[in-house]
Amino acid sequence: MKRLASAAVALFGALLLVSLFLHLVPGDPIDVMLGEESTLVDREALRRAVGMDQPVHLQLWNFTRDFVTGELRTSVPPFQKKVMPSIGAALPLTLLLALAAMAVALVLALPLGVAAAARRGTAVDTAAMSAAVAGVALPRFWLGPVLIILFSLKLDWLPVSGAESWRHLVLPAFTLGTALSAFLARMTRAAMLEALREDYVTVARAKGLSPRAVLWRHAFRNALLPILTVLGLEFGALLGGAIVTEKVFAWPGMGTLLLSAIEKRDYNTVRATVLVFTCCYVLVNTLTDVAYALVDPRVRRRA
Amino acid sequence: MRLRLRSVGGRFGLAVAGLLVLVALLAPLLSPHAPEAMDLATELSPPRPGHPLGTGENGIDLLTHVLYGARVSLVVAAFAVALSALVGTVLGGLAGFMGGLVDEALMRLTDVLLAFPGMLLAIFITAVLGPSLTHVIFALSFTGWTGYARLARGQVLTLRERDYVQAARALGAGNARILFHHLLPNAAGPLVVQATSALPGAILAEASLSFLGLGAPPGTPSWGALVDQGTQYLLVAPHVALFPGLALALTVLGFHLLGDAVRDALDPKHLER
Amino acid sequence: MPPLLRPVVLSLLVALLPGCRAERPPPGITVLIESPPESLDDRFTLSAMGQRLAQLITPGLITLDDTSTPVPDLAESFRELSPTLVELTLRPGLTFHDGSALTTEDVKATYDSMGDPAIASPRAERYAAVERVEVVDARTVRFHLRRPYAPLLSELSLGILPAERASAAGKEVQGRAPIGAGPFRFASQPDEDHLTLVPFAGHYRGAPAIPRLHFRVVRDETTRVLELLKGRADLVLNALSPAVLPALEREPSLRVLTQEGTGFAYLGLNLRHGPLADARVRRALCHLVDVEPLVTYKFHGLAVPANGMLPRTHWAWAPVSGCRYDPKEAARLLDEAGYPDPDGPGGTPRLSFQLKTSTDRFRRSVALVLQEQLARGGVAVEVRSLEFGTFFNDIRRGNFELFTLKWASVIEPDLMRSAYHSGNVPTEANHWGGFNRGALRDGALDALLDEASRVSTPERQALYFQAQERLDVLVPVVPLWHESSVAVVSRRLQDFAPSAHGRFTPLALARMVEP
């Protein structure tokens, strides 16, 4: 219950915050849409059409009501399309991208982290951790174009942009997943080291189990839970990082929707996108908290 | 507080950080050209004598801009981190110390800010205020202080029940004195760790904002802005994005390693040897 | 694989399956555009992109050629019977995409709908001068005007709809699946980013040779370039920066086609107060700006230095002298205006200004060049790049000293009245909607521009000549250049001749060949 209340507060706060900023940002959807190519048009009629002649609190109330009932329309005349279908189309793509990035991160990070922990202090450890740190250091807006040049243009293996098949997913997922995988590899190593120090590992070793079995069956299994918890916590950051990645790869997800809505001053779409972003974030965080409570180390060890 | 950076990574990080500070200080001496010098005729030419890293848009010397870029990166990141740490520590410390409504209100505020994509907020703020380095610092601090606040609050909460605090209180020390003389100095270790590990993030964030055209004002040598220029010319002049991107990656890498080393040195829980 | 990973991977694969669509679209020409059209109904298009796409589906009575002269399109001929009466005759046998005949009733219904509050067209005001549309017979139609309004001919390019689609009841379906009499017929628009058109056999010039037109929105420029290089696109029109063109030109699979354009880039000046209120200072700035190197190196020759708003190909263009790059003359003017150089070249500037620009990369780099050029003449400039909404708001409200902007397409010379007439200064009263953003106020110019909007075409030309000479003296803005129309086409697209206005209509005359 308390969790629900705090989630509601976070959502409401986000809505207020984004509305406040939208209010502060100069320029309105009509100006921006007309832009420098603008022709002589009836500006006031357009403003009335999108409800911008109303006071701010009423605009907010209308937004909340329409958002909940799914009747929300964009703030961009002349055809104020419904917002929900756009979000319905964009959200799965962003979630797909985030999940794929996570998969990439796991595939890269787990072996690296485990290898580094198993051979702690050796060259393997140093190399793996250097690779991991290097991964954190690569800016996405730089890595993305470099990957496009390399794999799309020079090698012609993968498409440049868009979201038409699984092959379109590879480069964005890799770009988005690199930083996470670097972070995760370090986490994995730390969790493995901790697990390897535990009594049951010592016992397992004493029983004469092969080092490989000890490493994977005992230590890794126990290290996995904290790793997955961290993964949940990082999901929100991944959604944020998706904004830049989607821009680079023209991936039609929430980030693209949001950036173009900001650009167009499409107030309703900006508010709705941010709310959905925040919902995802809060939801994932809550789930992670719950999961964490469930797999609390003390509970786990007794089982 | 004595730092002993024994690991290879730590030494490398320290070397990179030192080099960066040196480059930032000596940029005018090291640079072959003035940062505002232009030559349209040599726009986007590859590395050659006179322009060891080639030229960028409007024929600016890339080496000069990469060297001067160190200044922007370092100054913005350092100020953003310092401001975040200051605001976060004071607010978090207060929240932990006072408890009650203040604590609740502050924690809800951090909830809201944490539930908000930080990059988005920074984009908003810089879009409202217009591009300038001060605004970038403000935007990054606006989203960055929450981590310190939570940390400081947690630290204060655990420390305030310790004997020496209780003793100080018994001796009649005022709240402010207890908070600033006893609690915060003892909470400093984790806060310093947090600040050092936040530096590379701040460097990247400044570059990202400049990449979006919302960071450094036009003409200011900034790595993010150079990569932004470069991505447009990836096909005709890949060097424009490559070199500043490498400088950025190297710097972030260095500060990361330094941050790790500082953490290992200050936080006994992470000691592995 | 660790057991916990399996569900994650499985669910990913499942999630991906619906995303797997056919890789190859049906054969046709793929056009990459940088932004989606806000509407395909010409009455609601506001952006150039919307209008250019609507023109393919719903052409108007009149179109404008490369010199911006009105020429017949669906109309066979037109005549100005008096300053307040225009008569047009339709081509014989016109049909809409659904096979029904296009008659003057449809023309009347289309234009009448512009004044209909239920339609609420944002462009309604342009037709305010039309008192009524009279159907003389099935092929003859007359426009009766309330007052003499010469620019009307340019406005008669509005796309003609079937009468039942023009009504308020037809608005929704026309917005979703438009019908017109254009060379291409609407086929599908599965989402905002994709639009497919097919040729219309009943077009008055016959069906276009291209079997299918795919428009795809690609917002990122590098991606547009790469799609062209990979052969996944056949046409990109005016959506690439000049710097990448030399690389594309070297590519054997691509061709770069150009045509002198009608856009007008300028350095805007705020005449409201301060030094810029003095014409000598404005002229001095104009003499300090050297457009030649910008055109040569930044545009690779794909632009023409401007001496005013109209391009030299325009029917109303006057060969005024303009202000050439001349730092000596600039120094003399500044001295005379009372801004001497305090300590010789370098050092303290004569004057300082702030130059506002949007975050557009190219725009910013140009601003830096202007900054450097003006600094050499002792005029210090601070460049501020603002996010577009913020920037544009400042410009409209007069909150600037210098700014760079462009008119995307200068077709109707009456635009000079919008941009330089004292009645069009943005104010609270016109909701900051006026286009005279620098606030030029000159009675003689006002009179010339007003008169030119009332008389018939040959007289207009003489008046616009005088107006341009007056503007050449007043220097309300520093004219920069007219950017060329640039099309990058694949080998599959043949016979595409880019238009000065950057239209897609030449696609109706182009062919597709399989390499």
Side-chain angles (χ1 to χ4, degrees):
Chain A
M1 213 47 227
K2 188 163 175 270
R3 212 175 275 291
L4 262 182
S6 82
V9 168
L11 284 181
F12 185 68
L15 177 60
L16 272 187
L17 206 62
V18 74
S19 299
L20 174 76
F21 274 107
L22 282 176
H23 197 69
L24 287 176
V25 181
D28 66 32
I30 290 131
D31 291 340
V32 175
M33 177 185 58
L34 299 178
E36 50 197 282
E37 318 209 341
S38 68
T39 42
L40 295 161
V41 300
D42 188 352
R43 215 172 272 275
E44 284 315 292
L46 290 174
R47 287 176 63 89
R48 271 196 304 280
V50 298
M52 283 195 22
D53 52 335
Q54 295 175 342
V56 179
H57 64 272
L58 215 62
Q59 287 185 35
L60 254 186
W61 162 246
N62 288 341
F63 168 82
T64 315
R65 188 195 56 211
D66 294 346
F67 182 78
V68 172
T69 55
E71 285 299 309
L72 191 68
R73 286 169 185 278
T74 64
S75 306
V76 179
F79 290 110
Q80 290 161 261
K81 292 194 302 180
K82 283 199 179 179
V83 173
M84 288 311 154
S86 327
I87 291 189
L91 185 61
L93 283 170
T94 294
L95 291 180
L96 177 66
L97 177 58
L99 285 174
M102 251 182 190
V104 168
L106 281 172
V107 167
L108 291 179
L110 292 185
L112 266 183
V114 171
R119 297 189 175 72
R120 178 155 61 100
T122 66
V124 177
D125 186 12
T126 314
M129 285 306 104
S130 307
V133 180
V136 180
L138 295 175
R140 292 191 182 106
F141 57 80
W142 184 71
L143 184 62
V146 169
L147 289 179
I148 292 181
I149 294 279
L150 198 64
F151 289 99
S152 299
L153 207 66
K154 299 279 182 229
L155 297 173
D156 201 13
W157 288 351
L158 293 162
V160 173
S161 74
E164 274 136 41
S165 75
W166 66 271
R167 294 174 63 239
H168 288 80
L169 184 61
V170 178
L171 291 184
F174 194 81
T175 306
L176 185 56
T178 312
L180 178 62
S181 87
F183 178 68
L184 212 58
R186 285 145 60 93
M187 274 304 304
T188 308
R189 177 173 176 273
M192 283 296 289
L193 284 179
E194 200 158 309
L196 284 170
R197 269 198 294 268
E198 298 283 349
D199 295 342
Y200 56 80
V201 172
T202 322
V203 173
R205 267 204 203 109
K207 279 201 295 189
L209 281 177
S210 75
R212 179 180 288 259
V214 171
L215 191 67
W216 287 103
R217 210 171 302 153
H218 292 270
F220 181 69
R221 268 195 190 187
N222 286 288
L224 200 56
L225 285 165
I227 292 170
L228 288 181
T229 311
V230 168
L231 209 55
L233 286 171
E234 283 298 304
F235 194 75
L238 217 49
L239 287 180
I243 299 180
V244 171
T245 311
E246 287 183 7
K247 186 180 153 61
V248 172
F249 290 95
W251 183 263
M254 294 291 280
T256 306
L257 191 65
L258 180 67
L259 282 182
S260 84
I262 294 181
E263 217 170 277
K264 285 191 260 182
R265 294 291 190 276
D266 180 352
Y267 294 158
N268 280 347
T269 306
V270 173
R271 285 193 197 117
T273 333
V274 171
L275 264 196
V276 173
F277 256 122
T278 315
C279 277
C280 288
Y281 197 97
V282 169
L283 195 71
V284 170
N285 275 8
T286 312
L287 285 180
T288 313
D289 282 359
V290 172
Y292 198 78
L294 286 179
V295 299
D296 184 280
R298 276 154 299 181
V299 181
R300 184 157 42 98
R301 222 164 291 164
R302 241 180 282 132
Chain B
M1 191 161 57
R2 271 181 65 213
L3 279 184
R4 301 196 59 193
L5 304 173
R6 274 176 302 188
S7 66
V8 180
R11 285 196 196 127
F12 175 74
L14 195 65
V16 169
L19 188 70
L20 195 70
V21 173
L22 212 63
V23 163
L25 286 174
L26 301 180
L29 296 176
L30 298 171
S31 303
H33 299 266
E36 58 279 348
M38 288 180 191
D39 181 8
L40 282 183
T42 64
E43 190 177 64
L44 303 175
S45 59
R48 64 204 175 93
H51 297 288
L53 298 186
T55 63
E57 210 165 51
N58 294 341
I60 53 154
D61 179 55
L62 214 54
L63 176 62
T64 305
H65 272 236
V66 169
L67 292 175
Y68 272 88
R71 286 187 162 189
V72 171
S73 276
L74 208 61
V75 168
V76 170
F79 273 95
V81 168
L83 192 61
S84 309
L86 188 72
V87 172
T89 309
V90 169
L91 288 182
L94 274 176
F97 191 67
M98 316 257 297
L101 208 61
V102 178
D103 187 23
E104 188 62 24
L106 216 70
M107 285 305 105
R108 289 294 79 80
L109 184 61
T110 58
D111 276 349
V112 171
L113 284 176
L114 283 173
F116 209 84
M119 196 60 207
L120 176 64
L121 203 57
I123 290 173
F124 263 131
I125 295 176
T126 42
V128 175
L129 300 175
S132 103
L133 295 180
T134 338
H135 299 158
V136 174
I137 293 171
F138 173 72
L140 297 184
S141 311
F142 194 89
T143 53
W145 64 274
T146 52
Y148 301 92
R150 294 204 149 183
L151 199 62
R153 174 179 174 270
Q155 289 283 308
V156 168
L157 279 182
T158 41
L159 289 175
R160 68 185 229 180
E161 302 308 326
R162 294 270 167 88
D163 294 345
Y164 63 93
V165 177
Q166 300 295 348
R169 202 186 295 271
L171 288 173
N175 277 349
R177 189 174 165 80
I178 292 179
L179 182 59
F180 290 104
H181 281 250
H182 297 281
L183 294 182
L184 288 181
N186 283 294
L191 288 169
V192 168
V193 171
Q194 163 103 356
T196 348
S197 47
L199 260 178
I203 291 172
L204 268 181
E206 181 274 321
S208 302
L209 283 177
S210 293
F211 172 73
L212 294 173
L214 296 168
T220 313
S222 154
W223 294 336
L226 287 174
V227 175
D228 172 39
Q229 264 186 32
T231 47
Q232 194 184 355
Y233 308 119
L234 270 181
L235 301 164
V236 275
H239 65 275
V240 182
L242 191 71
F243 293 124
L246 282 177
L248 179 59
L250 185 71
T251 304
V252 173
L253 181 68
F255 274 97
H256 249 293
L257 292 171
L258 186 66
D260 285 358
V262 169
R263 190 193 56 207
D264 291 347
L266 282 183
D267 190 352
K269 268 178 290 183
H270 279 87
L271 275 188
E272 284 155 16
R273 272 161 227 254
Chain C
M1 191 185 289
L4 269 164
L5 269 183
R6 233 167 264 152
V8 174
V9 173
L10 274 179
S11 59
L12 254 181
L13 286 176
V14 172
L16 271 167
L17 281 174
C20 298
R21 268 191 257 146
E23 274 270 311
R24 291 245 164 261
I29 290 296
T30 301
V31 185
L32 302 185
I33 52 181
E34 68 275 28
S35 60
E38 68 283 329
S39 170
L40 293 173
D41 184 337
D42 199 18
R43 296 172 301 171
F44 302 104
T45 56
L46 294 165
S47 68
M49 186 56 69
Q51 277 161 20
R52 283 165 194 167
L53 290 172
Q55 281 158 1
L56 288 173
I57 303 169
T58 51
L61 298 170
I62 280 176
T63 186
L64 298 140
D65 68 10
D66 282 352
T67 67
S68 296
T69 308
V71 292
D73 193 355
L74 292 180
E76 186 178 62
S77 64
F78 56 87
R79 283 185 300 158
E80 295 171 88
L81 296 180
S82 83
T84 56
L85 183 60
V86 180
E87 183 183 276
L88 300 99
T89 308
L90 295 183
R91 289 177 195 271
L94 290 173
T95 58
F96 284 115
H97 295 155
D98 62 359
S100 61
L102 188 160
T103 69
T104 43
E105 291 295 345
D106 298 305
V107 174
K108 180 175 165 54
T110 302
Y111 280 94
D112 284 352
S113 77
M114 292 304 279
D116 182 353
I119 295 290
S121 164
R123 291 160 75 191
E125 218 170 297
R126 296 172 169 208
Y127 300 93
V130 178
E131 189 196 357
R132 69 192 163 89
V133 181
E134 179 200 354
V135 173
V136 179
D137 59 47
R139 283 182 52 207
T140 314
V141 62
R142 283 180 176 168
F143 284 78
H144 294 267
L145 307 184
R146 285 176 224 277
R147 51 188 154 83
Y149 184 59
L152 180 79
L153 282 180
S154 306
E155 303 295 353
L156 292 184
S157 56
L158 179 72
I160 301 299
L161 317 179
E164 74 277 6
R165 291 291 191 97
S167 67
K171 174 176 162 181
E172 195 269 334
V173 62
Q174 182 67 15
R176 194 159 30 80
I179 281 183
F184 288 95
R185 192 158 56 80
F186 175 86
S188 68
Q189 191 177 24
D191 57 47
E192 193 183 56
D193 288 355
H194 297 85
L195 169 69
T196 302
L197 304 181
V198 290
F200 173 47
H203 185 62
Y204 67 81
R205 270 197 304 250
I210 292 172
R212 209 166 256 272
L213 268 182
H214 302 282
F215 288 91
R216 188 151 68 85
V217 177
V218 176
R219 292 175 178 81
D220 177 60
E221 183 185 343
T222 305
T223 311
R224 288 196 291 274
V225 173
L226 293 177
E227 294 281 278
L228 275 171
L229 289 174
K230 288 191 73 180
R232 304 217 326 148
D234 301 299
L235 171 64
V236 174
L237 190 57
N238 292 340
L240 296 174
S241 58
V244 302
L245 291 175
L248 294 178
E249 228 156 15
R250 282 195 295 273
E251 202 62 36
S253 64
L254 298 172
R255 283 176 306 149
V256 176
L257 310 172
T258 64
Q259 166 76 29
E260 280 189 25
T262 56
F264 171 54
Y266 60 96
L267 176 66
L269 314 169
N270 197 340
L271 279 59
R272 286 175 182 83
H273 39 71
L276 291 174
D278 188 335
R280 289 170 299 191
V281 176
R282 302 199 296 269
R283 177 161 284 277
L285 294 194
C286 196
H287 282 308
L288 286 178
V289 170
D290 189 4
V291 179
E292 282 299 339
L294 280 160
V295 165
T296 311
Y297 297 113
K298 290 205 87 78
F299 283 100
H300 300 275
L302 294 175
V304 178
N307 61 8
M309 183 185 258
L310 300 180
R312 64 185 177 189
T313 49
H314 196 282
W315 63 265
W317 178 73
V320 294
S321 54
C323 48
R324 252 161 243 294
Y325 174 62
D326 187 350
K328 285 212 184 78
E329 175 67 4
R332 193 189 64 76
L333 283 166
L334 286 175
D335 286 342
E336 193 184 301
Y339 301 101
D341 198 350
D343 48 8
T348 320
R350 296 165 178 264
L351 277 166
S352 322
F353 295 110
Q354 193 182 62
L355 166 59
K356 287 190 174 171
T357 172
S358 68
T359 50
D360 177 80
R361 288 189 266 214
F362 187 73
R363 197 71 59 77
R364 266 187 300 164
S365 78
V366 166
L368 290 173
V369 175
L370 295 179
Q371 177 187 43
E372 199 246 3
Q373 292 185 346
L374 291 172
R376 268 188 272 151
V379 178
V381 172
E382 181 208 347
V383 178
R384 299 252 298 151
S385 83
L386 306 167
E387 199 266 346
F388 189 78
T390 313
F391 165 70
F392 202 60
N393 196 55
D394 278 356
I395 301 311
R396 283 180 51 219
R397 287 170 190 250
N399 181 17
F400 64 89
E401 290 174 331
L402 309 176
F403 68 92
T404 57
L405 254 184
K406 67 175 180 188
W407 291 99
S409 194
V410 180
I411 297 174
E412 172 48 55
D414 195 40
L415 190 60
M416 283 196 269
R417 194 164 57 108
S418 305
Y420 302 129
H421 192 287
S422 63
N424 289 320
V425 174
T427 58
E428 191 88 59
N430 59 28
H431 302 287
W432 309 103
F435 287 154
N436 186 355
R437 296 174 181 129
L440 174 68
R441 293 171 195 277
D442 184 74
L445 181 70
D446 287 355
L448 284 169
L449 293 173
D450 280 335
E451 184 62 14
S453 74
R454 284 193 288 256
V455 297
S456 61
T457 308
E459 294 162 76
R460 292 184 84 193
Q461 197 167 20
L463 288 165
Y464 282 130
F465 269 43
Q466 292 176 43
Q468 286 169 75
E469 271 155 17
R470 184 78 195 132
L471 282 167
D472 200 37
V473 175
L474 294 169
V475 203
V477 300
V478 175
L480 296 177
W481 54 76
H482 306 289
E483 204 171 324
S484 295
S485 212
V486 178
V488 179
V489 300
S490 72
R491 290 270 165 218
R492 280 153 45 88
L493 182 60
Q494 295 289 327
D495 299 342
F496 180 84
S499 82
H501 309 295
R503 296 192 171 162
F504 289 123
T505 40
L507 280 167
L509 303 173
R511 289 179 301 123
M512 185 179 102
V513 292
E514 283 304 338

